[in-house]
Amino acid sequence: MTGEELKGYEKELVRLRRHLHQHPEFSMQEVETSRFIEEYLKQLGIPCRIVGETGVIGTLYRNQKTQQSCERPRMIAVRAEIDALPVTEETGLPFASADEGKMHACGHDAITADVLCLAKVLAEHREEMKYDVRFLFEPAEETGEGARYLIANGALKQPEPEAVLVFHYGNQETRAMEIQKSVSTAAVGGIRIHVKGKASHWSQRREGVDAIYASSRLVCAIHEINENFQTQHPFVLGFGLLHAGKSGNIMADEAELTGSLRAFTEQDFAAVFEKLQQSASFVEQETGVSIRIELTKKIPPIINDPALVLKGERIGREMFGEKYYSGEVPFLVGDNAAFYMEKIPGMRAVFLAGKEGEEAYPVHHSRFDIDESVMMDALEFLVRFVTEE
């Protein structure tokens, strides 16, 4: 279907996005969002189920024959994230969040609306489908829990899709599209560093071992790693939290740093992590503290499948012309959709939807917003991807 033929769905698409935007829910708490999605799919006649209390899996078959066939049907999975962020919205939009301290500040409202509208288009035009479609409405993408949660609950089974398609919104440019040729997002690991010293009253400072001082030495070492350590691809080792001490007149006996490591390959990730461990060992020797580094959770990088990229590039160029970008430089963001792509081929696309003549605030900002007209571009891309060979 062409963009012109899809224009009749624009009001519905905007309605869905604005409803979802007004009613954000945190990761693994998306109960009402899941009920809304389930009801919408059931009204379209699409078999679906809520996974536990949150998250929805639905499957639209081209016809009953493919549903009942013993042969493995051709199927594509399309993922939409449904969770919001702990952000107080400051956009001033008439459909702004109705819940203080909760906001769809990452475009998940628009993504979910696009996939719901995709379901509606396909349900009403089954004869044009080249693939059966599995709809994955994923909870807890922001916390990195959702993909494995859906996989554990059968997202890629009965039958297994041959590919998975994921997409995101950004607003750093007006109406454009980008697909990375290979690596799309970084491997991301949460890191917690425990520094153990020895408490002492400051009047007897020689009796103690200062965990705050040792932490400051480690922070400087981390800065040096970011500035001077060389890997094959860019990386970032960043810490945003430092907690230490119990009282101003007592030398801190413990400190804890919390942050993350982002790298585009597993080799680079391992090399930077090893360098961090070496730096911690030097700080231990210099200061007398003991340091324990904990990798709290890790998401692998997304590597786009070449055949899917070729198809996406063809459709993208036809739709966006010179505003389609064949990406060479991946993003230092993480996406747990990589867990799907460890099992089946996949592709991640990005739609750029900055508002003409307005300041663009980045994702996770309290004023983040997109040009809703680009949602129609995303819908057309999705429809074409599952209705064309």
Side-chain angles (χ1 to χ4, degrees):
M1 296 179 69
T2 65
E4 192 67 30
E5 293 172 312
L6 290 171
K7 278 187 176 179
Y9 293 91
E10 186 167 12
K11 286 184 179 180
E12 176 68 352
L13 180 58
V14 171
R15 181 191 74 81
L16 288 167
R17 186 256 170 153
R18 294 185 178 186
H19 170 84
L20 293 163
H21 190 88
Q22 280 189 298
H23 302 286
E25 294 179 294
F26 291 151
S27 300
M28 297 309 293
Q29 298 176 25
E30 312 94 337
V31 174
E32 293 304 319
T33 302
S34 296
R35 289 175 180 168
F36 176 82
I37 292 167
E38 180 193 36
E39 182 62 28
Y40 194 87
L41 295 178
K42 284 184 174 179
Q43 288 179 358
L44 296 173
I46 298 176
C48 63
R49 61 186 172 92
I50 294 178
V51 179
E53 293 186 357
T54 180
V56 181
I57 299 173
T59 304
L60 178 62
Y61 294 92
R62 286 166 285 171
N63 53 56
Q64 287 295 113
K65 186 176 180 180
T66 63
Q67 184 175 357
Q68 297 170 359
S69 173
C70 293
E71 296 181 8
R72 182 186 180 210
R74 300 197 66 190
M75 177 182 287
I76 290 180
V78 183
R79 190 280 303 267
E81 312 101 304
I82 65 174
D83 55 335
L85 289 158
V87 174
T88 297
E89 183 163 357
E90 297 179 314
T91 61
L93 294 168
F95 54 91
S97 171
D99 297 306
E100 182 80 13
K102 299 180 182 180
M103 179 185 174
H104 275 295
C106 202
H108 292 183
D109 52 339
I111 293 167
T112 300
D114 267 313
V115 177
L116 283 173
C117 213
L118 170 68
K120 183 175 178 62
V121 172
L122 296 179
E124 295 173 357
H125 298 85
R126 290 189 190 221
E127 71 281 357
E128 296 189 34
M129 294 171 62
K130 296 295 190 294
Y131 305 86
D132 299 334
V133 179
R134 172 80 43 79
F135 302 101
L136 304 178
F137 293 93
E138 178 189 305
E141 187 276 334
E142 293 291 352
T143 60
E145 303 170 79
R148 283 181 290 189
Y149 173 74
L150 288 189
I151 290 169
N153 284 278
L156 303 182
K157 294 180 179 178
Q158 297 178 338
E160 180 181 80
E162 64 181 58
V164 60
L165 181 62
V166 305
F167 64 103
H168 285 277
Y169 280 101
N171 62 3
Q172 56 267 50
E173 187 175 336
T174 59
R175 192 179 179 268
M177 181 185 179
E178 182 172 1
I179 300 175
Q180 269 67 41
K181 288 184 176 179
S182 179
V183 181
S184 182
T185 65
V188 179
I191 297 178
R192 189 172 292 122
I193 302 178
H194 306 270
V195 181
K196 179 66 174 175
K198 180 183 177 183
S200 174
H201 193 280
W202 278 109
S203 64
Q204 297 174 290
R205 70 183 184 89
R206 301 291 184 188
E207 302 299 317
V209 179
D210 189 356
I212 289 180
Y213 171 68
S215 297
S216 71
R217 297 282 292 171
L218 186 57
V219 168
C220 291
I222 290 167
H223 179 77
E224 287 297 315
I225 293 172
N226 279 319
E227 293 297 314
N228 299 316
F229 189 61
Q230 295 294 314
T231 54
Q232 184 178 0
H233 302 282
F235 71 89
V236 64
L237 183 60
F239 289 80
L241 289 175
L242 170 58
H243 293 125
K246 299 179 179 68
S247 176
N249 63 351
I250 301 174
M251 183 179 291
D253 63 341
E254 291 183 333
E256 184 176 282
L257 295 88
T258 306
S260 63
L261 167 58
R262 299 165 183 266
F264 290 127
T265 67
E266 296 291 356
Q267 292 84 355
D268 284 355
F269 189 100
V272 178
F273 192 76
E274 182 180 1
K275 183 65 176 177
L276 174 62
Q277 291 175 313
Q278 291 172 355
S279 297
S281 179
F282 290 141
V283 171
E284 286 179 321
Q285 294 171 26
E286 290 176 348
T287 64
V289 300
S290 63
I291 298 175
R292 178 169 61 89
I293 301 175
E294 178 186 3
L295 188 61
T296 57
K297 59 182 178 180
K298 186 165 177 286
I299 296 171
I302 284 181
I303 302 175
N304 285 337
D305 177 76
L308 297 175
V309 170
L310 281 175
K311 181 175 181 178
E313 184 174 51
R314 173 181 61 78
I315 298 171
R317 289 194 186 282
E318 290 174 1
M319 289 180 58
F320 289 86
E322 293 182 355
K323 296 295 291 283
Y324 172 84
Y325 305 129
S326 182
E328 299 285 352
V329 180
F331 299 93
L332 269 171
V333 298
D335 186 336
N336 77 164
F339 290 116
Y340 302 123
M341 298 180 198
E342 286 187 326
K343 299 180 178 298
I344 60 175
M347 186 188 76
R348 176 182 183 270
V350 178
F351 296 96
L352 302 174
K355 290 184 171 182
E356 193 75 46
E358 294 188 19
E359 182 175 358
Y361 295 92
V363 293
H364 293 209
H365 193 282
S366 60
R367 296 187 181 181
F368 174 80
D369 194 23
I370 63 169
D371 176 359
E372 289 182 324
S373 69
V374 180
M375 293 164 56
M376 286 298 295
D377 293 317
L379 177 62
E380 180 182 351
F381 179 85
L382 295 172
V383 170
R384 290 188 60 180
F385 206 95
V386 299
T387 59
E388 297 179 10
E389 292 288 357

